[in-house]
Amino acid sequence: MTELVGLDDVRAARELLAGVTRTTPLEPSRPLTAALGGPTWLKCENVQRAGSYKVRGAYVRISRLSAAERERGVVAASAGNHAQGVALAAGLVGTHATVFMPVNAPLPKVAATKGYGAQVELAGNTVDESLVAAHTYAERTGAVLIHPFDHPDVIAGQGTVALEILEQCPEVKTIITGVGGGGLISGMAVAAKALRPDVRIIGVQAAGAAAFPPSLVAGEPVRLPIFSTIADGIAVGRPGEITFNHVRKLVDEIVTVSEEDISRALLMLLERGKQVVEPAGAVGVAALMAGVVEVETPVVAVLSGGNIDPLLMLRVIEHGLAAAGRYLRVTVRCSDRPGQLASLLSQIAEHRANVVDVEHQRANPHLSLGEVEVALSVETRGVEHSDTLISALRASGYQVVFAAEA
């Protein structure tokens, strides 16, 4: 078994990071506190330099390179956050960075990585495939590979997040965070379990990219045949060898959340917490909101990153509204006669729902002669309001052939 990182390693990493990273704030969450019946806090790594915790581990790793290694430069693979962390850290240390990113990496993350001075190469459809390209580049050029999670220096750097949490909330009973390859939760577990063995450490993965549960069952890292999630920052198909050993020994529980859970969490954080968070950074909150794990308060949820593509944010907000029952897409069939559309819209208005858009069509071959189909997007106040509206339309004789939260 690979030797675990120790508390002294994390403390040494913190000394290296002094003046480089910021101590991120711990903010109270009133909605979560009310839902969980006890103090709930948000560790805001979404406002860290480069927009995520990743710069912590990247800087510790790169700063410890020899002069000869720095001369050869560094190479990394990432969907965005590790890319930006490596680019920033390389610039601070004084070495050149080449970063391989998936071809579908969010454009703002690609632009930010270039903005920090790195050379960006697009390769593969996933971080795992980009990592293969990075390994090949390292072998060909002699550049030092800065692994996104599976290295002791990276784990130690990420563990400094837990040192801050224990100082900011000494009474914490539970720490919950998102998990991709396992670097963050490994480092946090090292620090937390050494200083407060009673603190429960809980990891959360997106259900569509959850490699740790089957790996823990198998007793070794297992690669997922396919995986997909909006939480690109934790879309990793196989745990690292080093991180797997840390998680197996130190982490109390790994749970999963759905895409709908993540969307609802992002919406709540934006509306109620005034926090801009990317999907991967919100999975801890998603688990708390969805009730997929029992926690003892005080609890701290780590918002691990805030680098979200604005276009994705628009889609996620719409999806989150729908998942919360506040955005309804409904298709209604009715007779094709003058005034029918106006009557339908009037009834929706009477129920104080707001029509966002309307599509009126007669050309559907499934329609009967003299029948028209009206597809509407409607803003409502929640699931109960949506159900009431649909019931009222049906009671008025409208044929609601499709009603779903999209």
Side-chain angles (χ1 to χ4, degrees):
M1 176 176 174
T2 305
E3 184 177 352
L4 301 186
V5 171
L7 177 60
D8 288 343
D9 298 314
V10 179
R11 284 174 167 163
R14 190 176 194 181
E15 292 181 6
L16 280 175
L17 292 171
V20 175
T21 57
R22 63 175 300 196
T23 299
T24 52
L26 195 70
E27 298 288 346
S29 172
R30 292 182 62 186
L32 290 175
T33 294
L36 299 176
T40 306
W41 302 82
L42 306 174
K43 178 60 171 169
C44 300
E45 285 294 295
N46 56 313
V47 297
Q48 181 59 266
R49 293 187 70 176
S52 84
Y53 71 93
K54 285 286 192 177
V55 67
R56 296 174 184 261
Y59 184 85
V60 172
R61 175 78 172 98
I62 295 173
S63 68
R64 288 175 171 166
L65 296 178
S66 67
E69 288 172 325
R70 294 182 190 184
E71 182 67 25
R72 298 200 302 268
V74 299
V75 61
S78 168
N81 287 344
H82 181 60
Q84 292 173 68
V86 166
L88 173 58
L92 293 172
V93 171
T95 187
H96 175 68
T98 300
V99 179
F100 287 83
M101 303 178 72
V103 294
N104 60 348
L107 292 179
K109 292 186 178 183
V110 174
T113 303
K114 292 179 178 178
Y116 285 121
Q119 177 181 334
V120 174
E121 301 287 346
L122 301 180
N125 295 311
T126 66
V127 175
D128 289 27
E129 293 176 2
S130 298
L131 191 56
V132 171
H135 274 289
T136 301
Y137 179 89
E139 292 170 358
R140 186 178 75 251
T141 66
V144 179
L145 178 71
I146 308 301
H147 199 282
F149 48 84
D150 211 30
H151 191 280
D153 287 342
V154 173
I155 292 171
Q158 320 306 28
T160 60
V161 176
L163 294 182
E164 293 178 14
I165 290 174
L166 293 174
E167 292 171 357
Q168 294 168 319
C169 185
E171 67 279 14
V172 64
K173 295 292 182 63
T174 307
I175 298 175
I176 187 167
T177 187
V179 178
L184 175 61
I185 198 168
S186 293
M188 291 177 62
V190 166
K193 291 296 186 180
L195 295 170
R196 285 279 310 281
D198 61 303
V199 172
R200 292 190 73 230
I201 306 296
I202 299 173
V204 185
Q205 295 203 285
F212 265 100
S215 296
L216 291 170
V217 171
E220 61 182 4
V222 172
R223 182 174 298 281
L224 297 176
I226 56 172
F227 54 96
S228 176
T229 174
I230 59 171
D232 62 290
I234 55 173
V236 178
R238 181 183 185 275
E241 297 287 344
I242 302 174
T243 56
F244 174 77
N245 289 329
H246 283 74
V247 170
R248 180 170 59 176
K249 183 175 179 63
L250 299 174
V251 173
D252 294 288
E253 189 174 1
I254 299 286
V255 298
T256 63
V257 291
S258 69
E259 304 293 277
E260 288 73 22
D261 295 333
I262 298 171
S263 296
R264 281 192 288 265
L266 286 167
L267 185 63
M268 187 280 287
L269 287 166
L270 187 62
E271 275 193 315
R272 301 294 304 277
K274 315 308 176 190
Q275 298 282 351
V276 176
V277 183
E278 63 189 278
V283 294
V285 170
L288 296 177
M289 291 178 61
V292 298
V293 62
E294 293 185 6
V295 297
E296 184 179 2
T297 60
V299 58
V300 173
V302 180
L303 307 182
S304 58
N307 296 315
I308 185 170
D309 184 340
L311 293 177
L312 175 60
M313 179 181 285
L314 289 174
R315 295 197 299 271
V316 166
I317 288 173
E318 180 179 306
H319 193 84
L321 287 170
R326 293 167 51 193
Y327 190 84
L328 179 70
R329 288 179 178 171
V330 59
T331 300
V332 177
R333 288 182 183 177
C334 54
S335 59
D336 185 14
R337 65 174 187 269
Q340 188 63 55
L341 179 59
S343 177
L344 172 62
L345 296 179
S346 295
Q347 182 155 352
I348 293 173
E350 288 174 6
H351 283 81
R352 306 187 67 82
N354 182 47
V355 176
V356 179
D357 59 61
V358 178
E359 182 182 355
H360 186 272
Q361 61 172 319
R362 299 182 177 89
N364 190 329
H366 299 291
L367 294 173
S368 302
L369 186 65
E371 193 175 43
V372 67
E373 190 172 76
V374 182
L376 306 108
S377 297
V378 183
E379 292 177 342
T380 67
R381 295 190 297 274
V383 174
E384 185 176 345
H385 187 203
S386 297
D387 291 344
T388 299
L389 175 61
I390 293 171
S391 296
L393 292 175
R394 286 173 171 157
S396 297
Y398 293 105
Q399 184 183 4
V400 182
V401 294
F402 173 75
E405 295 167 1

